[in-house]
């Protein structure tokens, strides 16, 4: 056997998101970086629900960055609630398994 053959590996999170406090209308980024072979697909969940990004909905204000981080063009905050506030986790998957990041809370600063 030759050493050039790299083995497939299950995902692991190498950069976890951290709690963020954002003013409404400001941009924000939740960091996440995962490694694995083949490169894992990253999804985000907020309070247990999958977060839709502009890949699924072109009008979404949330973008999944190439490295796996979640970028908010602006934090939404209205009289009816704070739709972006919550606890986020990043999940990286490939065919060998999945890895889940630590929880990160996103909070919108008071008026």
């Amino acid at each position: 056997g030759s050493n050039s053959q790299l083995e497939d590996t299950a995902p692991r999170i190498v950069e976890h998101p951290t709690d963020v406090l954002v003013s409404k209308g400001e941009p924000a980024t939740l960091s996440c970086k995962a490694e694995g072979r083949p490169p894992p697909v990253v999804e985000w969940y907020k309070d247990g629900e999958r977060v839709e990004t502009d890949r699924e909905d072109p009008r979404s204000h949330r973008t999944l960055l190439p490295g796996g981080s979640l970028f908010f063009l602006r934090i939404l905050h209205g009289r009816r609630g704070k739709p972006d506030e919550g606890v986020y986790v990043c999940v990286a998957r490939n065919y060998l398994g999945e890895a889940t990041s630590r929880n990160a809370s996103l909070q919108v600063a008071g008026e």
Side-chain angles (χ1 to χ4, degrees), residues 6-39:
L6 285 158
E7 288 190 19
D8 286 357
T9 56
R12 65 189 183 96
I13 308 280
V14 291
E15 187 182 328
H16 291 264
T18 53
D19 296 351
V20 284
L21 178 65
V22 202
S23 303
K24 67 177 183 179
E26 294 292 304
T29 304
L30 287 167
S31 301
C32 180
K33 193 176 280 176
E35 287 179 351
R37 177 177 296 272

Side-chain angles (χ1 to χ4, degrees), residues 15 17 27-34 39-44 50-56 60-74 90-92:
E15 187 182 328
T29 304
L30 287 167
S31 301
C32 180
K33 193 176 280 176
V41 174
V42 170
E43 290 182 332
W44 284 86
R50 201 164 97 68
V51 172
E52 291 212 339
T53 60
D54 58 357
R55 289 183 185 179
E56 292 97 13
S60 176
H61 65 293
R62 292 179 293 241
T63 301
L64 187 63
L65 299 179
S69 297
L70 185 63
F71 175 70
F72 299 80
L73 296 172
R74 61 192 179 283
C90 145
V91 179

Side-chain angles (χ1 to χ4, degrees), residues 91-102:
V91 179
R93 293 191 179 88
N94 67 14
Y95 80 96
L96 282 169
E98 65 178 61
T100 304
S101 73
R102 290 196 284 272

